[in-house]
Amino acid sequence: MVIQIFTQINEPKLPDEYSIWIPCLRVNSVLSGCPVQTDSVFITHSNAVYYYEGNLRNKQIYCIGPITESQLRMDGYNVTRLADRARDVVLPDEHITWLHGDTYKRDFSLEPNILAQQTYETTVDYTAVDRAIHLQAKFVYIYSPKVLKAFEERISGTYLHLNCTDSCNPN
């Protein structure tokens, strides 16, 4: 029996009964107090919409990735997927509000037609990290630099095989 732990924020499809999902990040709303002033919104993660403190039903939403597109369509939003990865996005030539979290791979606020507005932040759930370490799984899959740092700070003297995505740089 080889136990595997998956730490991403969204629930994955687990490969077998020995796999466990322990989300190691929490999402918290950031109150901005500013309503979206453009007809179009761009998001890089569905959390940007879910933690926005207002109504986006009458807005055109541009997004990245098939999962985000699918989630938002199922929730009734008008969605257009621009690309599958941030580096491949070419934004339409119009004024767009970029709703985002506190971390991202590409800073779209540098684009001339973008108004940036943070709607959420992610923080490490240290209780979940400790639980994952305590289970002494054979493999732990890490998807966030913040979660990787938390594991590295807490696994002193414990052997865990950490499998990291490209966005993480393990020590």
Side-chain angles (χ1 to χ4, degrees), residues 64-103:
I64 298 174
I67 294 171
T68 300
E69 177 187 26
S70 175
Q71 288 172 331
L72 293 173
R73 280 191 192 284
M74 285 178 27
D75 289 341
Y77 289 98
N78 180 19
V79 182
T80 300
R81 179 172 27 134
L82 298 178
D84 289 340
R85 291 180 246 186
R87 69 174 180 235
D88 299 330
V89 169
V90 176
L91 292 166
D93 187 22
E94 61 183 279
H95 291 289
I96 301 171
T97 301
W98 174 37
L99 299 180
H100 61 87
D102 58 327
T103 58

Side-chain angles (χ1 to χ4, degrees), residues 144-162:
S144 159
K146 290 179 184 180
V147 172
L148 175 62
K149 183 178 179 193
F151 269 86
E152 289 179 335
E153 289 171 351
R154 295 169 109 76
I155 61 174
S156 175
T158 304
Y159 175 78
L160 289 175
H161 185 94
L162 303 179

